């Protein structure tokens, strides 16, 4: 019996079923996970026997190199795949080419990627690309990993989060073997109880202990068991095993032949003992844990010598992977080789999109900075800064770019200094350091002013315009931006032209000039025509953000899908996450709070301009639903916002803090949160957050409905400004037209009429807005209203039926007897959308009709007090 697949029949059956479904066009992702030695690889090896005849299986492995090979698992497929994928992976510079070749190659195949906890960034990008398309691809994607090795910050976490949102995903956690299984494996060879005590049922450990123990004593540890299997092997075989053990991957035959004087035949005895797998193409240890046990048992001096042998073999072989050379150079202590090959390894990684690996290679290289001249060192520091910026390691990026700038100054290289100062400005902004960003931007322009390079000067001037726009210095932004536009046209550079048009258009539009929108849309057109994805995504992002601020949600809905499709197709994950946050803001406005939270999670990374609004959305959902944890989220968001000195960051956080204070009855807290930012917003034309901040201050009694001389009156038609002036009915109509049910109910609640307040209360209950509903119930009691509906029961929050937030809203309104059209009007969505929600509600409640669904919802405590209509 194959020990590795004992007690794995259910998992193999699920894999086989998923493969058959994929062959019929319903692709999916399978996650196979567990501790080291649990049998993930054995399951993969057993899979072909359980699949339909002719099923094509591709297997790639990730290696435990100190710095991963770019596209490592896909390089393993070379020889088993067509020329398009092999060529794309080998050249590695065009990840879109790699991704498209993967899509074509995988049709009708099963792709297994083993040990993805060791995957490089380029491989993770490729897997993200495949996961997003898995459902529409006639292929099965199987990923194996050790779940006990994943820290909170592990790069694999983001991929797993994406997989969890995939429509078709299978999770196969592998359990340890039972005592009965251990007893079966140990029969006649070792004491089952002792084996189980040592291994706790880990399949690999069991196999090693049994194989080493024979009929004698059970070894005390698995490492002892592995090393015991080496005893009695010929000395030259042990030497060969030790040599191969320092290579953390399968070893291709040419390298085996270069390392082993007696060729592959010396390995025969080790193969017979089950330590190795030998094929004509490569040699691999049967399990990574065997390799590690052998390698870790070596004295340091011996390990260094063996790594030197691998290094010597690699550097003499044409086409050797630079990442592998650097790994063995570092392990051998050959710093000169690290300095020589490290820059090339970083370049290869960066070209493949493996920016974490590129940064790690450059970090190694820079430990040997004394080996480089000043100009070469400055180039390396600039590369390291850009790679660190790309992976959101702001501290490393700033430090490296500052050092590069200092070297450029000493060298007197004006053009390089100006370019690096512009980069330093950008990196400072990314890190949330507003003042440092402005200072570096100013000096970049000064340095390049008369340097004779229109392109570099245009970029520096446009960067200054961007910073002025972001800090609400709109007139200055337009002035600098118009100059950048002229320079960009002169240099015939569409990327910089799109960047500059974006800055000018956004500044003009946000300052109240509608002509700015046309310029911003021109920026988008220029970027799309030139294939400048990053600039197109920024244009989309600024158009959408401004539409959201202006409550023009229907128009934003028209831009969001093409923007996200572009960022997704181009794998521009930074902007894709940012656009998800904008979608979260949109769903928050529609009171679809579950969806808002889901999209906000995409922004919970180290990119502060996205993290700040993501934190704010998550906090506001908790505030409106009465859930704990909002204060901590807002504290972090506020810290980020203050560092940026941008009203687009401080405004939303201040609004959230003011609303939170009001809902908990803290009037002083409302004033402390809103007043300083309101004062700043009042000095700017068209500031989007001024009406809402002024509204909260008016409710707190800090501002009169008609402001004093220090705060010019807000006579705009914004619904919050109308509410501040007591025009609740007009405001309610505007909120309803905009599609904001929570704000619509809040405006209705300000009516003096109990009937309007009761309508608002029903809306709050349907939305699950407990704090607002609680305050309104208290107000109704003070007014003497006698029949006030009870709120939802505690069971509502637990939601035993598994309804989404929107479905909860729908069932509560359905139970009131509203038609689908009336529910659509109440929630400000289309009737078709409500039709879909009602069908889902009936299905989840296992109810044949609306009346039965309402009864079932009441039984589960999902409705406010009272009987269903």
């Amino acid at each position: 019996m194959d020990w590795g697949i004992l007690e794995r029949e259910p998992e193999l059956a699920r894999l086989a079923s998923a493969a058959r479904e994929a062959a019929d066009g319903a692709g999916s992702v399978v996650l196979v996970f567990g501790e080291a030695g649990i049998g993930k690889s054995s399951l993969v090896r057993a899979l072909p026997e359980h699949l339909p005849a002719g099923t094509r299986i591709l297997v790639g492995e990730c290696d435990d190199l100190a710095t991963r090979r770019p596209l490592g698992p896909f390089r393993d497929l070379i020889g088993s795949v067509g020329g398009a994928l092999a060529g794309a992976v080998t050249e590695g510079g065009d990840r879109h080419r790699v991704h498209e070749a993967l899509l074509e190659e995988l049709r009708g195949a099963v792709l297994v990627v083993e040990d993805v906890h060791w995957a490089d960034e380029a491989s993770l990008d490729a897997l993200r690309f495949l996961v997003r398309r898995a459902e529409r691809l006639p292929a099965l994607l199987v990923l194996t990993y050790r779940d006990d090795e994943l820290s909170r910050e592990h790069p694999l976490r983001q991929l797993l989060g994406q997989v969890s949102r995939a429509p078709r995903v299978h999770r196969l956690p592998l359990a340890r073997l039972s005592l009965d299984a251990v007893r079966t494996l140990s029969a006649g060879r070792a004491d089952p109880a002792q084996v189980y005590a040592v291994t706790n049922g880990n399949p690999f450990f069991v196999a090693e202990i049994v194989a080493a123990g024979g009929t004698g004593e059970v070894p005390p540890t698995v490492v002892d068991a592995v090393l015991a299997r080496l005893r009695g092997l010929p000395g030259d075989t042990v030497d060969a095993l030790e040599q191969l053990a320092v290579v953390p991957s399968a070893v291709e035959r040419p390298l085996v032949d270069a390392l082993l004087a007696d060729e592959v035949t010396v390995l025969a005895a080790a193969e017979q003992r089950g330590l190795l797998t030998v094929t004509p193409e490569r040699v691999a240890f049967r399990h990574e844990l065997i390799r590690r046990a052998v390698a870790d048992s070596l004295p340091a001096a011996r390990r260094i010598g063996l790594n030197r042998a691998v290094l010597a073999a690699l550097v003499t072989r044409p086409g050797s992977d630079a990442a592998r050379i650097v790994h063995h150079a570092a392990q051998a202590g050959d710093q000169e080789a690290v300095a020589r090959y490290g820059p090339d390894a970083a370049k290869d990684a960066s070209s493949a999109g493996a920016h974490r690996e590129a940064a790690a290679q450059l970090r190694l290289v820079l430990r040997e900075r004394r080996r480089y001249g000043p100009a070469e060192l400055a180039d390396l520091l600039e590369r390291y800064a850009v790679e660190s910026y790309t992976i959101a390691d702001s501290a490393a990026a700033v430090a490296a770019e500052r050092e590069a700038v200092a070297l450029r100054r000493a060298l007197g290289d004006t053009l390089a200094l100006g370019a690096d100062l512009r980069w330093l400005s950008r990196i400072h902004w990314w890190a949330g350091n507003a003042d440092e960003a402005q200072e570096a931007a100013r000096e970049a322009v000064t340095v390049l002013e008369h340097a004779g390079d229109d392109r570099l000067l245009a970029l520096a001037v446009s960067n200054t315009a961007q910073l002025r726009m972001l800090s609400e210095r709109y007139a200055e932004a337009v002035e600098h931006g118009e100059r950048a536009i002229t320079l960009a046209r002169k240099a015939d550079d569409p990327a910089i032209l799109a960047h500059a048009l974006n800055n000018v258009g956004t500044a003009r539009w946000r300052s109240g000039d509608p002509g700015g929108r046309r310029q911003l849309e021109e920026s988008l057109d220029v970027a799309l025509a030139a294939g400048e994805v990053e600039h197109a995504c920024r244009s989309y992002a600024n158009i959408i953000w401004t539409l959201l601020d202006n409550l023009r949600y229907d128009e934003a809905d028209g831009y969001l899908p093409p923007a996200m499709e572009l960022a997704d197709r181009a794998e521009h994950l930074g902007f894709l996450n940012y656009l998800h946050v904008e979608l979260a803001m949109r769903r928050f406005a529609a009171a679809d709070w579950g969806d808002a939270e889901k999209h906000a999670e995409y922004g919970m990374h180290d990119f502060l301009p996205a993290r700040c609004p993501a934190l704010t959305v998550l906090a506001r959902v908790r505030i409106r639903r009465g859930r704990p944890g909002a204060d901590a989220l807002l504290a972090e968001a506020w810290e980020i916002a203050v560092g940026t000195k941008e009203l687009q960051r401080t405004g939303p956080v201040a609004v959230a803090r003011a609303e939170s204070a009001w809902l908990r009855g803290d009037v002083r807290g409302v004033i402390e949160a809103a007043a300083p930012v309101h004062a700043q917003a009042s000095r700017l034309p068209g500031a989007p957050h001024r009406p809402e901040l002024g509204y909260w201050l008016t409710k707190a009694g800090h501002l009169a409905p008609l402001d004093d001389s220090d705060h010019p009156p807000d006579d705009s038609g914004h619904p919050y400004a109308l509410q501040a002036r007591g025009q609740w009915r007009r405001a309610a109509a505007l909120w309803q037209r905009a599609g904001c049910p929570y704000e619509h109910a809040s405006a209705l609640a300000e009516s003096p009429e109990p009937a309007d307040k009761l309508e608002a209360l029903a809306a709050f209950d349907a939305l699950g807005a407990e704090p607002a509903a609680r305050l309104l119930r208290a107000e109704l009691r003070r007014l003497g209203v006698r029949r006030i509906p009870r709120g939802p029961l505690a069971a509502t929050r637990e939601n035993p039926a598994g309804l989404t937030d929107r479905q909860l809203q729908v069932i509560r309104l359905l139970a009131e007897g509203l038609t689908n059209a009336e529910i659509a009007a109440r929630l400000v969505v289309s009737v078709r959308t409500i039709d879909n929600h009602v069908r889902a509600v009936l299905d989840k409640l296992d109810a044949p009709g609306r009346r039965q669904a309402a009864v079932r919802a009441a039984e589960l405590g999902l409705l406010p007090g009272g009987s269903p209509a």
Side-chain angles (χ1 to χ4, degrees):
M1 179 178 291
D2 184 339
W3 293 345
I5 62 169
L6 195 64
E7 297 189 332
R8 295 291 184 254
E9 291 80 5
E11 290 82 1
L12 285 167
R14 286 187 65 186
L15 280 166
S17 174
R20 288 192 295 270
E21 291 171 357
D24 292 334
S28 61
V29 183
V30 180
L31 300 178
V32 180
F33 53 94
E35 64 190 15
I38 200 65
K40 300 180 291 294
S41 296
S42 297
L43 188 74
V44 169
R45 285 194 296 269
L47 181 58
E49 298 177 7
H50 294 75
L51 298 180
T55 301
R56 186 161 169 256
I57 302 180
L58 302 171
V59 181
E61 299 175 2
C62 304
D63 303 320
D64 189 21
L65 290 169
T67 303
R68 321 296 188 207
R69 291 183 301 154
L71 298 171
F74 303 108
R75 292 176 188 268
D76 288 347
L77 304 181
I78 295 174
S80 304
V81 295
L85 179 57
V89 169
T90 302
E91 296 172 21
D94 186 344
R95 67 178 180 178
H96 306 304
R97 179 185 168 198
V98 172
H99 297 172
E100 293 302 323
L102 272 171
L103 275 184
E104 189 61 34
E105 190 71 43
L106 295 186
R107 296 185 185 281
V110 175
L111 172 63
V112 180
V113 181
E114 293 207 68
D115 295 323
V116 289
H117 52 279
W118 289 330
D120 64 283
E121 185 180 8
S123 296
L124 290 174
D125 276 349
L127 292 174
R128 281 190 285 264
F129 177 84
L130 293 175
V131 165
R132 280 196 288 274
R133 292 153 180 81
E135 185 186 21
R136 305 186 300 275
L137 190 66
L140 182 65
L141 178 59
V142 181
L143 308 177
T144 78
Y145 63 96
R146 299 180 187 174
D147 60 333
D148 58 346
E149 293 194 8
L150 302 185
S151 64
R152 184 177 179 182
E153 296 78 23
H154 196 287
L156 181 57
R157 289 286 186 191
Q158 186 178 11
L159 173 63
L160 295 178
Q162 181 180 324
V163 172
S164 70
R165 294 185 287 270
R168 296 177 58 81
V169 57
H170 310 275
R171 293 174 177 81
L172 301 183
L174 299 187
R176 294 176 175 180
L177 298 178
S178 67
L179 178 57
D180 286 342
V182 173
R183 187 175 291 114
T184 299
L185 297 176
S186 305
R189 299 176 61 85
D191 182 338
Q194 285 186 320
V195 172
Y196 192 80
V198 170
T199 65
N200 202 21
N202 180 289
F204 171 77
F205 297 169
V206 171
E208 292 304 306
I209 293 290
V210 171
T215 56
E217 291 295 322
V218 172
T221 70
V222 174
V223 172
D224 292 326
V226 171
L227 298 180
R229 297 178 69 181
L230 270 61
R231 288 196 289 270
L233 287 174
D236 55 354
T237 300
V238 174
D239 289 343
L241 283 172
E242 292 177 348
Q243 177 64 80
L244 297 180
V246 301
V247 183
S249 59
V251 188
E252 61 274 22
R253 275 297 301 279
L255 182 56
V256 172
D257 294 340
L259 291 173
L260 304 184
D262 296 325
E263 296 186 344
V264 74
T265 54
V266 75
L267 301 174
E271 183 184 13
Q272 289 172 343
R273 291 203 181 180
L275 295 167
L276 295 173
T277 300
V278 180
T279 70
E281 294 80 22
R282 65 180 191 166
V283 175
F285 281 88
R286 190 173 60 81
H287 199 286
E288 170 66 11
L289 291 173
I290 296 177
R291 186 196 70 79
R292 283 194 175 187
V294 175
D296 292 348
S297 71
L298 298 173
R302 169 76 168 151
R303 191 160 50 244
I304 290 171
L306 295 173
N307 274 289
R308 284 187 181 278
V310 180
L311 175 62
L314 288 173
V315 298
T316 57
R317 288 180 59 217
S320 289
D321 193 314
R324 294 180 73 184
I325 293 175
V326 173
H327 170 83
H328 290 288
Q331 294 296 310
D334 190 337
Q335 303 308 322
E336 183 177 351
V338 171
R340 179 179 177 185
Y341 294 99
D344 288 340
K347 182 179 179 181
D348 290 346
S350 184
S351 296
H355 297 289
R356 289 190 189 89
E357 286 66 36
Q361 295 286 10
L362 289 166
R363 197 178 302 119
L364 274 177
V365 164
L366 289 170
R367 293 177 186 170
E368 305 301 317
R369 62 186 63 204
R370 68 186 184 282
R371 299 178 186 273
Y372 305 99
E376 191 176 8
L377 178 58
D379 288 341
L380 289 170
L381 284 163
E382 178 189 308
R383 288 173 57 189
Y384 179 51
V386 173
E387 296 296 344
S388 299
Y389 157 83
T390 304
I391 64 174
D393 186 351
S394 299
V398 168
E401 194 58 56
R402 278 177 168 164
E403 191 174 350
V405 165
L407 284 169
R408 303 293 193 198
R409 287 191 206 281
L411 290 166
D413 188 340
T414 302
L415 291 177
L417 174 60
D420 271 332
L421 283 166
R422 201 279 307 175
W423 259 118
L424 181 60
S425 172
R426 177 65 176 172
I427 291 168
H428 271 312
W429 178 81
W430 194 280
N433 305 323
D435 292 339
E436 292 90 338
Q438 297 280 5
E439 176 57 28
R442 182 200 60 75
E443 188 181 357
V445 173
T446 300
V447 167
L448 293 169
E449 191 72 62
H450 304 293
D453 190 315
D454 286 338
R455 182 186 173 281
L456 283 179
L457 179 59
L459 187 55
V461 173
S462 189
N463 176 69
T464 299
Q466 181 182 14
L467 292 174
R468 297 294 193 272
M469 177 269 290
L470 291 167
S471 58
E472 294 87 31
R473 294 156 69 177
Y474 296 134
E476 295 175 45
V478 171
E479 179 185 354
H480 288 285
E482 294 288 5
R483 184 185 178 203
I485 290 170
T486 301
L487 289 166
R489 293 191 192 279
K490 182 179 178 182
D492 193 24
D493 192 309
I496 301 176
L497 176 61
H499 190 272
L501 286 166
N502 188 327
N503 300 326
V504 174
T506 304
R508 290 177 59 198
W509 191 7
R510 294 184 73 83
S511 64
D513 180 355
R517 177 172 181 174
R518 289 191 296 274
Q519 222 161 358
L520 187 47
E521 290 170 340
E522 183 186 356
S523 163
L524 176 60
D525 292 340
V526 169
L528 290 173
E532 293 287 346
V533 172
E534 179 174 2
H535 295 294
C537 286
R538 193 170 79 92
S539 298
Y540 270 127
N542 283 350
I543 290 171
I544 293 165
W545 192 285
T546 307
L547 288 171
L548 294 176
D549 276 347
N550 291 333
L551 311 184
R552 297 165 80 164
Y553 298 113
D554 288 346
E555 292 181 61
D557 289 340
Y559 282 99
L560 275 162
M564 299 183 78
E565 196 276 333
L566 174 65
D568 185 14
R569 187 176 69 248
E571 291 288 298
H572 204 305
L573 298 181
F575 268 112
L576 181 60
N577 290 340
Y578 197 83
L579 290 163
H580 270 290
V581 174
E582 291 189 320
L583 181 54
M585 295 162 61
R586 169 67 183 104
R587 301 317 306 155
F588 176 79
D592 192 349
W593 293 332
D595 211 36
E597 286 183 309
K598 180 181 73 175
H599 290 289
E601 289 290 345
Y602 280 90
M604 293 297 286
H605 301 292
D606 294 332
F607 176 38
L608 298 186
R611 185 173 179 85
C612 184
L615 287 163
T616 307
V617 170
L618 291 171
R620 296 197 76 180
V621 169
R622 295 189 183 196
I623 289 165
R624 291 191 174 181
R625 299 173 77 178
R627 292 183 173 177
D631 290 345
L633 296 173
L634 286 180
E636 183 183 348
W638 182 247
E639 182 179 0
I640 295 171
V642 169
T644 68
K645 297 188 175 180
E646 296 172 6
L647 184 62
Q648 66 168 331
R649 309 295 175 212
T650 58
V653 185
V655 162
R657 297 171 77 194
E659 181 178 9
S660 177
W662 178 262
L663 289 174
R664 65 174 182 266
D666 181 3
V667 175
R668 179 180 293 277
V670 173
I671 297 170
E672 291 174 350
V677 183
H678 178 262
Q680 178 189 1
S682 296
R683 295 190 290 269
L684 295 171
H689 309 295
R690 179 188 173 192
E692 187 169 4
L693 290 166
Y695 165 74
W696 288 115
L697 289 172
T698 301
K699 285 181 74 73
H702 187 67
L703 293 180
L706 296 178
D707 302 349
D708 58 32
S709 58
D710 291 331
H711 301 285
D714 186 345
D715 56 1
S716 72
H718 193 288
Y720 273 124
L722 295 175
Q723 285 178 253
R725 299 198 296 268
Q727 299 175 30
W728 63 269
R729 192 179 298 280
R730 285 183 59 196
L734 289 176
W735 286 126
Q736 187 170 37
R737 193 177 309 152
C740 302
Y742 181 89
E743 287 77 8
H744 174 251
S746 297
L748 280 181
E750 293 173 355
S751 165
E753 297 298 326
D756 292 324
K757 293 183 182 295
L758 287 169
E759 182 181 347
L761 179 61
F764 284 145
D765 282 340
L767 294 170
E770 296 179 28
R774 184 177 62 251
L775 290 180
L776 187 51
R777 280 190 171 83
E779 184 178 354
L780 286 165
R781 284 193 291 271
R782 287 195 299 272
L783 292 174
V785 177
R786 299 185 62 182
R787 298 191 62 180
I788 304 173
R790 289 187 299 139
L793 302 177
T796 302
R797 294 189 290 273
E798 300 170 4
N799 192 5
L803 301 182
T804 66
D805 292 326
R806 182 62 96 192
Q807 289 164 358
L808 278 170
Q809 297 163 13
V810 168
I811 186 58
R812 289 168 185 165
L813 295 174
L814 183 152
E816 292 181 22
L818 274 63
T819 66
N820 286 12
E822 291 168 334
I823 295 173
R826 180 74 63 87
L827 296 180
V828 202
V829 296
S830 71
V831 176
R832 176 174 295 181
T833 297
I834 296 302
D835 291 342
N836 293 333
H837 283 311
V838 169
R839 281 194 294 271
V841 166
L842 296 179
D843 182 59
K844 288 185 177 182
L845 293 176
D846 193 23
R850 300 163 70 90
R851 171 72 183 181
Q852 293 88 340
V855 171
R856 177 66 176 145
E859 292 172 349
L860 293 172
L862 300 177
L863 304 180
S867 301

